[in-house]
Coordinates of all heavy atoms in Angstrom, one line a residue:
K2 N 146.6 124.7 134.2 CA 145.3 124.3 134.7 C 144.5 123.6 133.7 O 144.4 124.0 132.6 CB 144.5 125.5 135.2 CG 145.2 126.2 136.4 CD 144.3 127.4 136.9 CE 144.9 128.0 138.2 NZ 144.1 129.2 138.6
I20 N 141.8 126.8 126.0 CA 141.8 125.9 124.9 C 141.0 124.6 125.2 O 141.3 123.8 126.1 CB 143.3 125.5 124.6 CG1 144.2 126.8 124.5 CG2 143.4 124.7 123.3 CD1 145.7 126.5 124.5
P24 N 134.3 118.9 122.5 CA 133.2 119.2 123.3 C 131.9 118.3 123.1 O 131.2 118.4 122.1 CB 132.8 120.7 123.0 CG 133.4 120.9 121.6 CD 134.6 120.0 121.5
E30 N 125.1 112.1 130.3 CA 124.4 112.1 131.6 C 125.4 112.3 132.8 O 125.0 113.0 133.8 CB 123.6 110.8 131.8 CG 122.9 110.7 133.1 CD 121.8 111.7 133.3 OE1 121.3 112.3 132.3 OE2 121.4 112.0 134.5
L31 N 126.6 111.9 132.6 CA 127.6 112.0 133.7 C 128.0 113.5 133.9 O 128.6 113.9 134.9 CB 128.8 111.2 133.4 CG 128.6 109.7 133.3 CD1 129.9 108.9 133.0 CD2 128.0 109.1 134.6
A32 N 127.8 114.3 132.8 CA 128.2 115.7 132.9 C 126.9 116.6 133.0 O 127.0 117.8 132.6 CB 129.0 116.1 131.6
V37 N 126.9 124.2 129.8 CA 127.8 124.4 128.6 C 127.9 125.8 128.2 O 128.9 126.3 127.6 CB 127.2 123.5 127.5 CG1 125.9 124.0 126.9 CG2 128.3 123.3 126.4
D43 N 138.8 130.2 123.9 CA 139.4 131.0 122.8 C 139.7 130.1 121.6 O 139.7 130.6 120.4 CB 140.7 131.6 123.3 CG 140.5 132.5 124.5 OD1 139.8 133.6 124.3 OD2 141.0 132.2 125.6
Y44 N 140.0 128.8 121.8 CA 140.2 127.9 120.7 C 139.5 126.6 121.1 O 139.4 126.2 122.2 CB 141.7 127.6 120.6 CG 142.5 128.8 120.1 CD1 143.1 129.7 121.0 CD2 142.7 129.1 118.7 CE1 143.8 130.8 120.6 CE2 143.4 130.2 118.3 CZ 143.9 131.0 119.2 OH 144.6 132.1 118.8
T56 N 129.5 117.2 119.4 CA 128.1 117.6 119.6 C 127.9 119.0 120.0 O 127.0 119.7 119.5 CB 127.4 116.7 120.6 OG1 127.4 115.3 120.1 CG2 126.0 117.1 120.9
N72 N 140.3 118.6 111.1 CA 140.7 118.2 109.7 C 139.9 118.9 108.6 O 138.9 119.6 108.9 CB 140.7 116.7 109.6 CG 139.2 116.1 109.6 OD1 138.3 116.7 109.1 ND2 139.1 115.0 110.3
W78 N 132.5 121.1 107.2 CA 131.3 121.0 108.0 C 131.0 122.2 108.9 O 129.9 122.6 109.0 CB 131.4 119.7 108.8 CG 130.2 119.4 109.8 CD1 129.0 118.9 109.5 CD2 130.2 119.7 111.2 NE1 128.2 118.9 110.6 CE2 129.0 119.3 111.7 CE3 131.2 120.2 112.1 CZ2 128.6 119.5 113.0 CZ3 130.9 120.4 113.4 CH2 129.6 120.0 113.9
G83 N 127.8 127.4 110.0 CA 127.9 128.8 110.3 C 129.0 129.2 111.2 O 129.0 130.3 111.7
E85 N 132.4 130.4 110.9 CA 133.4 130.9 109.9 C 134.8 131.1 110.5 O 135.8 131.0 109.8 CB 133.0 132.3 109.4 CG 131.7 132.1 108.5 CD 131.3 133.5 107.9 OE1 132.0 134.5 108.1 OE2 130.3 133.5 107.2
N86 N 134.9 131.2 111.9 CA 136.2 131.3 112.5 C 136.7 129.9 112.8 O 136.7 129.4 113.9 CB 136.0 132.1 113.8 CG 137.4 132.4 114.5 OD1 138.4 132.4 113.8 ND2 137.4 132.7 115.8
P92 N 147.0 115.8 109.7 CA 148.3 115.3 110.2 C 149.5 115.7 109.4 O 149.5 115.7 108.2 CB 148.1 113.8 110.2 CG 146.6 113.6 110.4 CD 146.0 114.8 109.6
G101 N 150.9 129.9 121.3 CA 152.0 129.0 121.0 C 151.9 128.4 119.7 O 151.6 129.1 118.7
D116 N 125.5 111.5 110.3 CA 124.7 111.0 109.2 C 125.4 109.9 108.4 O 124.9 109.4 107.4 CB 124.3 112.1 108.3 CG 125.5 112.8 107.6 OD1 126.6 112.4 107.9 OD2 125.3 113.8 106.9
S118 N 128.3 110.2 106.9 CA 129.2 110.7 105.9 C 130.6 110.8 106.4 O 130.9 110.8 107.6 CB 128.8 112.1 105.5 OG 128.8 113.0 106.5
T129 N 152.4 123.4 122.0 CA 153.6 124.0 122.6 C 153.2 125.4 123.1 O 152.7 126.2 122.3 CB 154.8 124.1 121.6 OG1 155.1 122.8 121.1 CG2 156.0 124.7 122.3
S138 N 146.1 112.7 122.3 CA 146.1 111.7 121.2 C 144.9 111.6 120.4 O 144.9 111.1 119.3 CB 146.5 110.4 121.8 OG 145.4 109.9 122.6
I150 N 156.9 111.9 118.4 CA 156.6 113.1 119.1 C 157.7 113.7 120.0 O 158.1 114.8 119.9 CB 155.3 112.9 119.9 CG1 154.1 112.7 118.9 CG2 155.0 114.1 120.8 CD1 152.8 112.3 119.5
F161 N 145.3 110.7 127.1 CA 145.1 109.5 126.4 C 143.7 108.9 126.7 O 143.3 108.9 127.9 CB 146.1 108.4 126.8 CG 147.5 108.7 126.2 CD1 148.6 108.5 127.1 CD2 147.7 109.1 124.9 CE1 149.9 108.7 126.6 CE2 149.0 109.3 124.5 CZ 150.1 109.1 125.3
I163 N 141.5 105.7 127.7 CA 141.9 104.5 128.4 C 140.7 103.6 128.6 O 140.8 102.6 129.4 CB 142.5 104.9 129.8 CG1 141.6 105.8 130.6 CG2 143.9 105.6 129.6 CD1 142.1 106.1 132.0
E173 N 147.7 99.6 126.9 CA 148.2 100.3 125.8 C 148.6 101.7 126.1 O 149.6 102.3 125.6 CB 147.2 100.2 124.6 CG 147.1 98.8 124.0 CD 146.0 98.0 124.8 OE1 145.5 98.5 125.8 OE2 145.7 96.9 124.3
A177 N 151.9 103.8 125.6 CA 151.9 105.0 124.8 C 152.7 106.1 125.6 O 153.4 106.9 125.1 CB 150.5 105.5 124.5
V181 N 156.0 108.4 124.3 CA 156.0 109.9 124.2 C 156.9 110.5 125.3 O 157.0 111.7 125.4 CB 154.6 110.5 124.1 CG1 153.9 110.0 122.9 CG2 153.9 110.3 125.4
L187 N 146.6 112.4 131.7 CA 145.2 112.6 132.0 C 144.4 111.5 131.2 O 144.5 111.5 130.0 CB 144.8 114.0 131.6 CG 143.2 114.3 131.6 CD1 142.8 114.3 133.1 CD2 142.9 115.6 131.0
V189 N 141.1 109.9 129.6 CA 139.8 110.3 129.1 C 139.1 109.1 128.4 O 139.7 108.1 128.2 CB 139.9 111.5 128.2 CG1 140.5 112.7 128.9 CG2 140.7 111.2 126.9

Side-chain angles (χ1 to χ4, degrees):
K2 291 184 178 179
I20 309 167
E30 179 62 23
L31 300 178
V37 71
D43 299 294
Y44 294 92
T56 294
N72 68 38
W78 174 81
E85 295 184 359
N86 188 18
D116 63 3
S118 61
T129 303
S138 70
I150 291 171
F161 289 135
I163 56 175
E173 292 86 355
V181 301
L187 173 66
V189 299

